[in-house]
Amino acid sequence: MWVVKKNDRAVGPTAAANPRQSVVLDDVDRILLDELARDGRMTNNALAAAAGIAPSTCLGRVRSLVERGVIRGFHADIDPAALGRSLQAMISVRVHANARPQLAAFGEQLATLDEVLNVYFIAGADDYLIHVATADTEELRLFVLEHLSAHPAVARTETILIFEHVRPRTRPLR
């Protein structure tokens, strides 16, 4: 099994200001990535066999992919409904023009809230798109009122309820 490290969340304009450069990947790297994308719990020995390399080589390759930022982490995909948060929504947020210097801090603050699953710093009319999960509409309403509408940096929000999330099938990365 792979050791799981909790990821730091990089959000906001500071992350966007430093775009990652493309990383050179060979065929073996791509096989490793394909296999791990399908099953992040795959053992090192099984992963090595799938790539046709020795387990020690495989371990070094995976560590290199992590160190180079290609693999951002290993995690469990947990259904929010199983945790009592069956209502999901995407909330677009526009901040006031005078709050633009605090965009990074605002994004980091959002990422710490329990209801928040993902924070996206976006281009367009709005500044952020926030994916949240709550127990019900009342909890969602309170989240918007207490954490967004009441925030002095927020100019406007728009909430879009998610009825269903259809996941794309895993595609080869090659």
Side-chain angles (χ1 to χ4, degrees):
M1 303 295 279
W2 296 101
V3 176
V4 178
K5 287 192 336 187
K6 185 172 180 173
N7 293 345
D8 291 329
R9 290 180 169 188
V11 297
T14 54
N18 300 315
R20 297 216 5 100
Q21 298 294 321
S22 291
V23 176
V24 176
L25 301 172
D26 63 16
D27 290 341
V28 172
D29 289 333
R30 291 185 186 281
I31 291 169
L32 296 174
L33 293 171
D34 282 345
E35 294 296 326
L36 288 172
R38 272 192 275 285
D39 181 5
R41 294 178 46 161
M42 181 179 248
T43 65
N44 185 60
N45 286 344
L47 186 59
I53 58 177
S56 58
T57 301
C58 181
L59 188 59
R61 288 283 195 122
V62 171
R63 282 185 181 149
S64 173
L65 290 166
V66 170
E67 289 167 1
R68 293 185 289 159
V70 177
I71 295 176
R72 295 183 295 189
F74 302 90
H75 68 276
D77 184 9
I78 299 168
D79 182 0
L83 303 176
R85 295 176 183 245
S86 59
L87 182 64
Q88 293 187 54
M90 299 298 278
I91 306 170
S92 60
V93 178
R94 181 183 303 165
V95 300
H96 292 289
N98 63 350
R100 302 239 178 256
Q102 289 81 38
L103 275 176
F106 179 69
E108 291 292 338
Q109 180 184 8
L110 290 173
T112 66
L113 301 173
D114 289 339
E115 299 86 351
V116 175
L117 302 176
N118 292 290
V119 177
Y120 303 96
F121 179 61
I122 60 174
D126 296 314
D127 300 296
Y128 283 98
L129 190 60
I130 309 162
H131 182 194
V132 299
T134 62
D136 52 35
T137 56
E138 179 60 18
E139 192 175 301
L140 178 61
R141 184 181 79 79
L142 287 173
F143 175 84
V144 172
L145 290 174
E146 293 174 3
H147 298 290
L148 301 175
S149 298
H151 196 288
V154 174
R156 74 168 208 83
T157 65
E158 181 178 351
T159 302
I160 303 159
L161 296 180
I162 299 171
F163 292 130
E164 184 178 359
H165 178 194
V166 180
R167 295 188 181 278
R169 60 181 177 81
T170 304
R171 296 176 187 90
L173 301 172
R174 297 177 209 147

